[in-house]
Amino acid sequence: MFALHLARMNKQQEAGQSEKQEEEVTGLVCLEADLQDGQMREVAVDDQKVLLVRIQGQYSAVGSRCSHYSAPLIKGALVGDRVRCPFHGACFNVRTGDIEEYPGLDSIPILFYLVLNHIYPHLQSLTLTKRVKEMFAIQPGTKHTVLLIGGGPASLVCAETLRQNCYPGHIVIVTKDSLPPIDKPKLSKALCGYVLLQVVSVHPPDKVVKMSDGTSKRYDQLLIATGSRPLSCPGSDLKGVHLLQSYDDAKEIHSSSVGQRAVVIGASFIGMEVASYLSDKATSVALVGSASYPFEKSLGPEIGKMTMAMLEEKNVKFFMNDRVTEIRGENGKVKNVVLSSGAVLEADVVIAGIGVIPNSDFLAGSKVAVDSGKAVIVDKYMRTNIPDIFSAGDVASFPLSIRGDQQVNIGHWQMSHSHGKVAALNMLKKPTKIESVPFFWSALAGKSIRYTGYGEGYTEILVKGKVEERKFLAFYIKDEEVVAAASLMFDPAVAQVAELMAEGKNITKKQAQSDDLSWLQM
């Protein structure tokens, strides 16, 4: 009978000494019959948890936790050579530990790789939960410059990908943000320079951008990753009225809402999450929405009604099928909010989450193509219509592979990471298409709704489980196929759907109707 034991080099070898000895690490013993191809198991080694995986008769042991927010990967979806996190959709190669899909920036440690009963150990501490890929520094005398406009995840991942792929030139991030790129909430080092200014214009013929202080900066390649900005509302000039865009905005909303009366305008993801967060901090929270239920367009009325009940239990009061007509102030400070129904809501703090618009106004006159919604148009390689100018993140409209290359603008944290990586690889003349599957989540009242795909235009929703019991998997159907899925307390179903979509497999309405969901594990 075959038994698998994990071995690692002793401290002498780790210190670089010549003596080659191995010590057996107690705690990991797995019979061959206990782990079949395509299976994984979480085991304990030296009081640390390790993910043991078998793929095509070969074994590997990697870190057991996602590098993003430490979700247990054993609860995720293993498809082919990679495991997808059940919480937020990050993917890791189980042979190398490398991160292959986002969110997050770091890879996971690889402890060993075994072929034909021979262990190839990797000298990494069992206590490591993350692994940063090597990045290369600027080479002296190099004049080539990549200029990244915007300080969000697309720019950050673009910079890191360039350095991880031996780019020797200068990388400069131009951002109006007061902080370097931030990974909610992790600050990152990207081996690049920062210019804390705003770009006001781009002149492609000279490859020059003009800054808000009147200075100019030359580039060889340019990434437009300026994101989007919240739509403002009447009365936004009053003290106490906030838009949520930056870290400073979030801090101000928190500090000014504690013990105060808060009104949230907008019943989609930003508005609902803000209301949920403030429910145990403000003395009262009122939420105003234009539809019958929150998320009605994106998730459907049944799930929207459920999310509304979740927050009502937290004493959030809803004013649906209503609109704000006026925000009144007194002595320059917000006093109340007037609704079209005639209701008047007393308010010390107002947070508006009524939508966003891409930050592309500075491109006027540059001939960089934008669509009717002001999003920058790119191809599968994140290239704009102007040579050496790329775009990524919330500001970009790109071809979505799972919808037949339909041009879309998707403001997801995960997708911005993927855009940045693809843009960087194509800057380096390594042809790479954007083929990521959208994946996002929303945290409400201590629960997380997961979502994958692109459900715009869906005509039917099929539900497994019971929405009213807050444990369900919903399939969104269009043209007899599943185009998106959402779940609550149904992991790892959405991660599995995302992996099937990533492999190019069509999920039919008939499969979604079946009580047997074993096809999710194909």
Side-chain angles (χ1 to χ4, degrees):
M1 184 174 289
F2 171 78
L4 177 64
H5 299 265
L6 174 63
R8 68 176 178 186
M9 299 299 182
N10 66 11
K11 294 181 180 178
Q12 285 181 318
Q13 185 180 1
E14 290 179 8
Q17 299 182 21
S18 60
E19 184 178 356
K20 295 183 178 180
Q21 298 179 357
E22 292 187 356
E23 61 177 353
E24 185 174 290
V25 178
T26 59
L28 193 162
V29 178
C30 179
L31 297 179
E32 185 179 24
D34 291 342
L35 197 64
Q36 303 301 312
D37 273 343
Q39 291 184 342
M40 53 186 177
R41 172 175 292 191
E42 189 178 75
V43 293
V45 182
D46 283 2
D47 298 323
Q48 299 294 326
K49 291 182 178 179
V50 173
L51 190 68
L52 182 64
V53 186
R54 176 174 168 173
I55 303 292
Q56 296 179 344
Q58 301 173 352
Y59 297 82
S60 59
V62 296
S64 66
R65 296 280 173 170
C66 176
S67 65
H68 183 224
Y69 279 121
S70 299
L73 295 176
I74 188 65
K75 295 184 179 180
L78 176 66
V79 177
D81 289 346
R82 71 181 193 177
V83 59
R84 182 181 286 265
C85 172
F87 288 6
H88 306 134
C91 294
F92 304 91
N93 188 298
V94 296
R95 299 186 190 275
T96 65
D98 289 350
I99 187 167
E100 294 187 347
E101 187 56 87
Y102 303 93
L105 296 170
D106 300 324
S107 298
I108 55 176
I110 177 80
L111 301 174
F112 75 79
Y113 182 55
L114 182 145
V115 182
L116 298 177
N117 296 355
H118 185 79
I119 293 174
Y120 296 87
H122 292 251
L123 305 183
Q124 294 175 331
S125 170
L126 284 170
T127 61
L128 288 177
T129 58
K130 300 179 182 181
R131 177 174 59 83
V132 180
K133 295 180 71 175
E134 183 179 3
M135 290 188 282
F136 294 81
I138 299 172
Q139 295 298 309
T142 304
K143 294 183 179 180
H144 194 279
T145 298
V146 174
L147 189 65
L148 312 176
I149 308 177
S155 287
L156 176 55
V157 173
C158 183
E160 290 205 342
T161 303
L162 288 170
R163 289 291 184 234
Q164 289 164 357
N165 285 270
C166 306
Y167 172 67
H170 299 272
I171 302 174
V172 179
I173 294 180
V174 182
T175 174
K176 63 179 181 178
D177 298 330
S178 59
L179 292 173
I182 198 168
D183 187 29
K184 297 200 175 184
K186 187 188 75 173
L187 292 175
S188 176
K189 300 174 184 176
L191 296 177
C192 57
Y194 299 99
V195 177
L196 299 179
L197 291 171
Q198 188 170 356
V199 172
V200 296
S201 65
V202 176
H203 194 244
D206 299 327
K207 290 194 169 182
V208 167
V209 301
K210 187 175 181 179
M211 311 291 190
S212 53
D213 66 349
T215 61
S216 297
K217 182 73 176 176
R218 190 186 180 283
Y219 65 85
D220 291 287
Q221 291 172 303
L222 179 69
L223 180 73
I224 300 166
T226 44
S228 57
R229 65 183 183 275
L231 294 172
S232 60
C233 60
S236 58
D237 56 328
L238 291 170
K239 184 179 180 181
V241 178
H242 300 281
L243 303 175
L244 178 56
Q245 183 176 24
S246 68
Y247 179 67
D248 288 338
D249 293 337
K251 290 197 301 182
E252 179 63 25
I253 290 170
H254 169 84
S255 61
S256 63
S257 297
V258 175
Q260 302 296 312
R261 298 166 298 181
V263 174
V264 179
I265 306 172
S268 193
F269 293 96
I270 295 296
M272 287 289 284
E273 289 174 358
V274 169
S276 176
Y277 176 78
L278 295 179
S279 63
D280 61 352
K281 298 170 182 66
T283 54
S284 66
V285 178
L287 188 146
V288 183
S290 59
S292 299
Y293 300 107
F295 308 120
E296 186 168 355
K297 183 178 179 181
S298 56
L299 299 181
E302 187 178 9
I303 295 174
K305 183 178 181 181
M306 177 212 69
T307 63
M308 186 170 165
M310 290 171 67
L311 265 60
E312 285 177 330
E313 292 169 7
K314 298 291 184 179
N315 298 316
V316 175
K317 188 172 183 180
F318 285 83
F319 294 82
M320 302 304 293
N321 290 316
D322 219 334
R323 296 181 183 275
V324 173
T325 58
E326 184 182 4
I327 299 178
R328 295 173 178 167
E330 186 174 272
N331 299 321
K333 188 180 186 306
V334 65
K335 182 179 180 181
N336 54 46
V337 177
V338 182
L339 306 185
S340 58
S341 63
V344 178
L345 310 179
E346 299 301 315
D348 303 301
V349 179
V350 174
I351 303 96
I354 55 176
V356 296
I357 187 170
N359 282 319
S360 62
D361 292 348
F362 69 97
L363 294 173
S366 69
K367 297 186 179 179
V368 173
V370 298
D371 65 15
S372 59
K374 294 192 174 184
V376 178
I377 301 170
V378 298
D379 62 12
K380 295 179 182 181
Y381 304 94
M382 308 312 297
R383 301 175 302 197
T384 70
N385 61 310
I386 304 295
D388 292 322
I389 298 183
F390 300 75
S391 187
D394 294 8
V395 73
S397 171
F398 68 99
L400 184 62
S401 60
I402 63 169
R403 292 295 293 268
D405 292 334
Q406 176 185 343
Q407 205 76 16
V408 298
N409 173 237
I410 297 177
H412 292 174
W413 187 250
Q414 162 258 351
M415 191 59 74
S416 292
H417 285 69
S418 298
H419 284 182
K421 178 180 179 179
V422 171
L425 292 172
N426 287 300
M427 287 178 178
L428 296 170
K429 312 301 181 188
K430 297 183 177 182
T432 306
K433 297 178 182 179
I434 181 67
E435 294 179 332
S436 294
V437 176
F439 194 112
F440 72 89
W441 62 97
S442 185
L444 299 173
K447 304 288 185 181
S448 285
I449 295 175
R450 328 257 191 237
Y451 182 99
T452 192
Y454 187 72
E456 184 177 277
Y458 71 85
T459 55
E460 186 178 359
I461 304 175
L462 299 176
V463 177
K464 303 299 176 184
K466 294 185 178 179
V467 173
E468 63 272 18
E469 294 180 2
R470 300 175 190 176
K471 184 176 182 180
F472 64 86
L473 170 62
F475 294 109
Y476 296 82
I477 310 297
K478 182 180 181 180
D479 298 330
E480 300 297 309
E481 289 187 3
V482 173
V483 294
S487 75
L488 179 63
M489 302 297 290
F490 222 93
D491 290 336
V494 167
Q496 291 169 327
V497 170
E499 280 300 278
L500 290 173
M501 289 181 171
E503 289 196 328
K505 296 180 179 177
N506 292 332
I507 305 172
T508 66
K509 177 180 176 180
K510 184 177 180 180
Q511 285 176 296
Q513 288 174 321
S514 174
D515 291 331
D516 180 8
L517 296 179
S518 59
W519 56 266
L520 282 172
Q521 302 174 24
M522 293 172 59

